[in-house]
Amino acid sequence: MKSEKSNYFVTLKKELVVLAGAFLFTLSLVSLLHFNAERKEKNEHVQTMHAKLDSMLMRAKKQTIFPTNELTHNVESMCEKASEHIRPITAQDDQLRSIVLVKDQVAFCSPIIGVFSQDVRSTFPNLDLEKNISLILSSGTSVIPDKPVVLMWHKEAENLGAVWIFETAILQTLLQEVEFFLHVSIAFQNARLTADGVMPIEESSFGSGSELPFAIEWKVSVYDVVSDTLESFFFGITVLTLSIYILLLPARPVLSKKWMAFNLYWAMKNNQFYPVYQPVYKNDGETLYGVEVLLRWQHPTKGNISPNVFIEQAEKSDQIVELTRHLFGIVIEDCQRLPNHIPLTLNVNIASAHLHEGLLRDASDLLVKLPSYINLTLELTEREKITSSIHNKMIFQQLSNMGVTLAIDDFGTGYNSLELLSRNDMSIIKIDRSFVSDLVPNQPFPPLLHSIVELTKALNLTAVAEGIETEYQYKQLKHSGVELFQGFMFSKPLPINELVDLLSVQGKVNKAGQKVEMA
């Protein structure tokens, strides 16, 4: 009996050793595959950024802004001829903001401004005008000082060249997408572009011997190493055997969806989401009409997460409706802090997934809890198609009967604009900032923008111009008949305490006897 028992334990020990070996081998193999997949994804993001920057360099190298037969003419003539050549270049490139011509280190022409005179060395001291190509990062320009741009100097002749001004929005979007799993930055000769904006750079961070005028760098913290290791470890455990691997592989999208849903649920539970309120003004530029509610996510470790990222996650994980309801609850609390009896229109975005009876309940509950002097406008986003159905028509009609105003957000950029207008369900059109940004001095009024404005007039709808950044855009759209305006020229999105201050000032103006019409 003792011998049989001893043999049993010997056999069991051998089997456990074999199982342990198989476990470690499988875990190592799966972890290695996981690390390789993560590294491949990171490399793809980095390569995309590299390609964007390479394309900037190639565009400048291939283009000749100064025609040789115009070099002997005066400055005005050179500017006029070169501007005719520059405008189609900037119109075809959504990253290129403008091109400034330089002669003898003095900027003298821009298609936006016209002829002027400005010392490039004092304005952009980091640009190396002696080189054929010089690339730097700037926190802004004199026209739009609060938006980072990439400035590229291209020398075309001994005393002639051009400064190409590129937008950084696409690069920053890529950086924000990568920020979830890799702390990436783009180092230029003078500064560093990160997901949070422009940062100073140490002199040793960018080697003078680099072949390119930029470098893509990343760093991994101890937290990231531990997090990635644990993630790979548990991932390996879930696919320890072939049968488990076969079962979990088809379920991976479902698990990913549930994980995103859990992250959003946890963020809502721990009050990581908060609203900001961007004012909307009437066409006098001073009378407040209302505010658009914009949701923000302050993650405890990742910082501010881009709305483009978490809204997409909420839609993919079927949490967009819960996120909207969570926003409604915060807005109700915030509105209790607003000054009494100051009329205000509250614009809230909803997704097409919310178009069911639950929206009627949610909107009704919101209206009951909001002060009576606050009007509610629901903005339908065009990220997803809104089907033409009797059901949706009924939803829109009941919302209208409840006193809710309906608007199309980002008009013209998605699926639904003309279809919704054809059914006469909407009262407000919000003209997307992409159309407004085409409105620049010394260029014709953009035909598409003109058509949209005229369409609102023909259908007797209210037009809201989004993304107003310059006085020129405001005055041109005001003259064309646009009624409401929203953008950084008037105000950035405000936290609730600053909105309270703004409304308090508005209330004092009313009491002083000045007529201020609102909402």
Side-chain angles (χ1 to χ4, degrees):
M1 179 69 69
K2 185 176 180 180
S3 177
E4 290 179 0
K5 189 174 181 179
S6 176
N7 290 335
Y8 170 79
F9 282 111
V10 169
T11 303
L12 179 61
K13 183 178 179 180
K14 290 180 179 179
E15 291 176 348
L16 290 175
V17 169
V18 172
L19 289 174
F23 171 82
L24 293 175
F25 174 78
T26 305
L27 181 59
S28 299
L29 178 62
V30 173
S31 298
L32 180 61
L33 291 174
H34 184 261
F35 270 116
N36 285 338
E38 287 289 303
R39 183 174 63 181
K40 181 180 178 181
E41 185 176 1
K42 295 172 185 178
N43 288 338
E44 288 175 352
H45 280 81
V46 172
Q47 289 169 6
T48 300
M49 290 182 228
H50 210 290
K52 292 287 183 186
L53 289 164
D54 282 341
S55 67
M56 292 181 185
L57 286 168
M58 293 304 298
R59 279 192 290 264
K61 288 180 179 180
K62 291 180 178 180
Q63 289 288 346
T64 301
I65 303 301
F66 296 90
T68 55
N69 59 345
E70 297 292 338
L71 296 182
T72 58
H73 289 197
N74 56 36
V75 169
E76 289 78 7
S77 177
M78 289 176 64
C79 182
E80 181 180 354
K81 295 295 183 181
S83 296
E84 292 176 359
H85 180 57
I86 291 172
R87 289 190 184 103
I89 298 175
T90 56
Q92 295 171 8
D93 191 337
D94 57 358
Q95 289 182 259
L96 181 60
R97 181 187 293 180
S98 183
I99 300 175
V100 177
L101 307 185
V102 179
K103 181 179 181 182
D104 295 325
Q105 300 187 349
V106 175
F108 70 90
C109 175
S110 165
I112 297 177
I113 302 175
V115 177
F116 64 100
S117 179
Q118 194 170 13
D119 188 352
V120 178
R121 291 169 297 182
S122 61
T123 307
F124 304 116
N126 294 306
L127 272 179
D128 190 348
L129 303 183
E130 299 301 323
K131 293 183 178 180
N132 290 332
I133 294 288
S134 179
L135 197 68
I136 67 168
L137 181 65
S138 174
S139 58
T141 64
S142 59
V143 178
I144 306 179
D146 56 349
K147 280 198 171 184
V149 292
V150 174
L151 301 175
M152 182 183 303
W153 161 253
H154 180 215
K155 187 176 183 180
E156 295 191 17
E158 185 60 31
N159 65 334
L160 294 174
V163 177
W164 295 58
I165 304 176
F166 290 98
E167 302 278 3
T168 60
I170 295 178
L171 293 175
Q172 284 192 285
T173 298
L174 290 171
L175 288 169
Q176 289 168 350
E177 291 175 354
V178 178
E179 188 70 9
F180 273 102
F181 52 81
L182 191 65
H183 304 294
V184 179
S185 64
I186 304 174
F188 295 88
Q189 295 172 355
N190 65 312
R192 185 187 304 276
L193 184 65
T194 70
D196 298 322
V198 179
M199 301 293 178
I201 190 171
E202 305 82 7
E203 291 184 6
S204 59
S205 296
F206 193 85
S208 58
S210 175
E211 296 181 0
L212 295 173
F214 65 87
I216 298 178
E217 302 174 348
W218 60 85
K219 61 180 180 180
V220 181
S221 65
V222 174
Y223 171 83
D224 295 322
V225 173
V226 173
S227 177
D228 287 347
T229 302
L230 290 175
E231 182 183 354
S232 297
F233 175 76
F234 286 112
F235 182 81
I237 290 178
T238 59
V239 290
L240 182 60
T241 63
L242 181 60
S243 59
I244 296 177
Y245 176 78
I246 293 173
L247 289 173
L248 289 184
L249 187 59
R252 192 173 180 184
V254 176
L255 295 175
S256 176
K257 180 177 178 179
K258 290 185 177 296
W259 177 247
M260 287 191 294
F262 173 77
N263 282 336
L264 293 167
Y265 167 79
W266 185 258
M268 287 185 279
K269 183 178 178 62
N270 289 275
N271 299 316
Q272 295 174 12
F273 290 103
Y274 66 95
V276 291
Y277 302 85
Q278 185 164 31
V280 179
Y281 284 88
K282 290 192 174 183
N283 61 4
D284 60 5
E286 298 178 356
T287 304
L288 185 64
Y289 169 83
V291 291
E292 179 180 0
V293 185
L294 304 171
L295 191 61
R296 298 290 185 261
W297 183 0
Q298 178 66 36
H299 194 278
T301 58
K302 298 182 175 69
N304 283 315
I305 297 178
S306 169
N308 290 335
V309 175
F310 71 76
I311 293 297
E312 183 178 355
Q313 288 187 351
E315 290 173 343
K316 288 183 177 179
S317 60
D318 299 329
Q319 291 294 301
I320 189 65
V321 174
E322 287 302 318
L323 193 59
T324 303
R325 287 171 178 157
H326 181 70
L327 174 61
F328 282 3
I330 304 174
V331 167
I332 290 171
E333 294 180 4
D334 282 355
C335 285
Q336 307 310 313
R337 300 174 54 185
L338 299 180
N340 291 334
H341 308 300
I342 298 182
L344 188 72
T345 292
L346 203 65
N347 292 25
V348 184
N349 288 278
I350 60 169
S352 61
H354 208 160
L355 291 177
H356 48 68
E357 286 76 4
L359 176 59
L360 297 176
R361 293 193 299 270
D362 295 337
S364 176
D365 184 61
L366 181 60
L367 287 171
V368 168
K369 295 178 180 178
L370 286 176
S372 59
Y373 47 85
I374 293 182
N375 299 320
L376 178 62
T377 294
L378 296 181
E379 299 183 7
L380 297 176
T381 63
E382 295 202 305
R383 296 168 67 96
E384 297 178 286
K385 183 174 177 60
I386 299 175
T387 58
S388 176
S389 65
I390 297 176
H391 171 80
N392 285 344
K393 181 69 176 179
M394 179 194 70
I395 296 291
F396 294 145
Q397 186 62 52
Q398 292 189 36
L399 286 171
S400 179
N401 293 340
M402 292 163 55
V404 177
T405 303
L406 297 176
I408 301 179
D409 193 21
D410 303 327
F411 181 81
T413 62
Y415 305 97
N416 307 306
S417 300
L418 296 178
E419 183 178 359
L420 290 175
L421 291 180
S422 67
R423 299 203 310 264
N424 299 317
D425 294 320
M426 303 295 113
S427 301
I428 296 175
I429 285 179
K430 300 196 74 175
I431 304 173
D432 185 67
R433 66 184 65 245
S434 61
F435 298 109
V436 174
S437 63
D438 292 336
L439 191 58
V440 294
N442 301 321
Q443 292 192 21
F445 201 98
L448 282 177
L449 181 57
H450 175 76
S451 299
I452 293 173
V453 173
E454 292 303 312
L455 180 62
T456 61
K457 294 178 182 178
L459 297 177
N460 197 26
L461 301 175
T462 300
V464 182
E466 297 183 293
I468 300 295
E469 297 181 348
T470 66
E471 187 77 17
Y472 179 82
Q473 293 171 343
Y474 162 60
K475 288 183 176 180
Q476 291 294 311
L477 287 169
K478 176 183 177 181
H479 179 73
S480 70
V482 174
E483 302 172 46
L484 301 174
F485 295 87
Q486 175 181 349
F488 273 45
M489 176 190 149
F490 299 98
S491 174
K492 65 178 182 179
L494 303 175
I496 182 60
N497 58 318
E498 293 184 22
L499 177 61
V500 170
D501 293 340
L502 176 64
L503 290 173
S504 297
V505 172
Q506 187 78 71
K508 290 178 182 178
V509 171
N510 288 344
K511 289 181 180 179
Q514 297 183 24
K515 185 178 180 181
V516 178
E517 297 180 0
M518 301 174 62

